[in-house]
Amino acid sequence: MSDKKVSRPCHHCRSRSASAPTEASKIHYEKFWLYRHCSSVQQRDRQAQKAGQLFSGLLAVNVVFLGSAFISSMIFNKVAITLADVWILLSILKVLCLFWIIYYLLGISQQPHAVLYRDSHAGAIWIRGSVLLFGSCSILLNVFQIGYSIILIHCKSRVEIVFPSIGILFICTQAYFLWHHSKDCIQVQHNLTRCGLMLTIATNLLLWLLAVTNDTLHMEIESQLREVEQRFAGKAPFSHPRNETTLCTCPNMTICKVFQKGYILLYPFNTEYCLVCCSVLYVMWKNVGRRISHHHMPHTKPKFKLQGVVFGPLLGTSAVIIGACVFMMYQIQATSLVPSRQVFVIYYSYYIVLLPLMSVGAVIGTIIHALEKKELDTLKNPTRSLDVVLLMGAALGQIGMSYFSIVALVATDPRDLLNSLALSYSVLIIFQNITQNVFVIDGLHRQRTPPGKEEDTKEGQNREVYSQRRVSVLELGQEIRKASVSYIHTYSNLSWKRRVLREISFFLVLCNIILWVMPTFGAHPIFENGMERSFYGYSTWFVIVNFGLPLGVFYRMHSVGGLLEVYVTA
């Protein structure tokens, strides 16, 4: 850095350099406190942004630790901390989030110059649609919970009615907020906005954690009821450390049974809603104070068009139809007193056929990405960075469960038919998750050139050459013919690669949809077959499954969004 450039920052710096001796040229002024604080407003803004992110992050961490302590105490010591105490804490957090969201909608966002930029990559239509879909299911879930508690009001507390009522208001307000403001890059009241967003993220994380633990208790109750039915049938069930009797049972009323079944059916959607909201809120938190330059803004938005794809939709639709049939057969057999061994064989066989096809498609897509030799998109994109983190993190759920299953199955009897199928299923799940992650992440980071852009550039260069040269009409026609042949050849090769990418992406989208539907609506053979459960013990395997399954379901849903983006940009 030259002396002339160093002496620019401010008036005090100029006076200091003017009064310095001739040896001042050897002094590095960037080491002085005065230079650091006078050098750049942008540097101060960056430091203030990091400080605000650090403070809001610490706020979220403390809230999550406090809520986790309450939930853990409820699980391990139900006498001191009850479920009602956890609901009261979460209700307070929900009310605080409601106040902040309303203030954002009516105050912060209405200020002049509050939203000068909007992140085009954030708040994709599929993820906002997921917020509305899962939010609607969560609202219906709370309605069923309220109706169920009112019917059993003689043995239920008032908190069990107040908590879902506040939950309905929270879900409606948050869904409206995320639908309309998920793309905002807010430019005013940075610290308050960051703290409000982090408080809302922490609240959704605690709601997800509570939903996972409550889902564990519900599945445990169902398993205990099945044990009781097997005892009445004269069969010996597996031993279980807990043997509690439910005092508050549903009376013999149709409406009560509807509320109970609807609550159990819609419960998994609540966990997905919390995770999706956390991802959208995190992107908004990263975008607070962000200024987007014009070259970051896309001139045209790619649209979803079902053109040029044939084999992907056909194979994907076949996988969905066959998977739906397998799922219905499984649900009918698994809900009986004694699930047949055959239904587990059919279920695992379906996965063993489908997962290698998905893995091969992902590997071929990755190879085509490498053959295209497109440059990587290195521009700052919080949405894409979050997509990568969520794909890698959510995949750990299924990968972790698969490794636990592999150890249990190899240590018991891997030569048994059902054990060998389950072992193959676990190995293929790991390989499929890894290959699909590589394909999706590579596709999200590739710079896409709109169709015809490269050819238009070449054609423009040819026009300039032709305008500079004065050639005859015959020579011009020959040159155009040669250029047309070269254009057709280049375009055919390019469209072939893109067509294969679109076929693979669409096939993987449909496969991930059916693999999302099956565990979401209750197909959990990894718990119900009893092999891993007998190896690790009832409680330990319950913890592993109920932390891994929600992440696996979220991974499939998030993969659909990433694959759709790869399909559209291809």
Side-chain angles (χ1 to χ4, degrees), residues 28-254:
H28 298 283
Y29 286 104
E30 61 269 23
K31 295 182 180 179
F32 283 89
W33 178 90
L34 187 60
Y35 180 85
R36 291 199 307 268
H37 289 266
C38 296
S39 59
S40 173
V41 177
Q42 184 179 3
Q43 184 178 1
R44 292 199 300 270
D45 290 342
R46 192 180 300 113
Q47 291 176 352
Q49 182 180 5
K50 291 180 179 179
Q53 290 178 348
L54 177 62
F55 180 78
S56 59
L58 289 174
L59 173 64
V61 168
N62 281 275
V63 173
V64 169
F65 276 129
L66 175 62
S68 301
F70 264 77
I71 295 174
S72 301
S73 301
M74 177 200 69
I75 295 173
F76 297 109
N77 191 352
K78 295 183 179 180
V79 178
I81 301 294
T82 62
L83 181 60
D85 298 327
V86 178
W87 280 344
I88 292 173
L89 174 65
L90 292 177
S91 297
I92 295 173
L93 293 176
K94 285 182 180 180
V95 171
L96 292 176
C97 293
L98 279 173
F99 283 139
W100 176 81
I101 293 175
I102 293 173
Y103 176 70
Y104 182 93
L105 295 175
L106 302 180
I108 297 177
S109 63
Q110 301 300 323
Q111 295 182 15
H113 311 294
V115 185
L116 297 177
Y117 310 96
R118 291 177 66 84
D119 187 359
S120 60
H121 298 282
I125 186 64
W126 69 267
I127 197 166
R128 288 188 292 159
S130 301
V131 170
L132 291 184
L133 174 63
F134 297 146
S136 302
C137 295
S138 299
I139 292 173
L140 194 58
L141 171 72
N142 286 314
V143 171
F144 285 161
Q145 184 177 2
I146 293 173
Y148 184 71
S149 300
I150 291 176
I151 292 176
L152 302 176
I153 192 65
H154 61 279
C155 57
K156 296 284 186 179
S157 64
R158 305 280 179 171
V159 181
E160 298 188 38
I161 300 177
V162 175
F163 180 73
S165 301
I166 298 176
I168 292 175
L169 294 177
F170 177 72
I171 293 170
C172 293
T173 307
Q174 183 175 243
Y176 176 85
F177 167 67
L178 295 179
W179 179 265
H180 290 281
H181 297 275
S182 59
K183 297 178 179 290
D184 289 359
C185 298
I186 201 71
Q187 302 298 323
V188 296
Q189 300 190 19
H190 294 174
N191 293 332
L192 179 61
T193 304
R194 289 193 183 97
C195 291
L197 289 170
M198 270 298 166
L199 179 63
T200 312
I201 291 175
T203 303
N204 280 280
L205 283 176
L206 292 176
L207 290 172
W208 171 77
L209 182 60
L210 179 63
V212 170
T213 55
N214 272 348
D215 192 28
T216 300
L217 297 177
H218 290 163
M219 293 175 67
E220 187 174 349
I221 291 173
E222 290 180 3
S223 181
Q224 290 174 356
L225 292 176
R226 183 174 296 171
E227 289 179 13
V228 174
E229 292 174 349
Q230 289 179 353
R231 288 193 182 97
F232 281 111
K235 299 183 181 296
F238 64 91
S239 60
H240 183 264
R242 300 177 187 177
N243 188 12
E244 299 177 358
T245 304
T246 305
L247 299 177
C248 194
T249 59
C250 189
N252 191 13
M253 296 171 55
T254 304

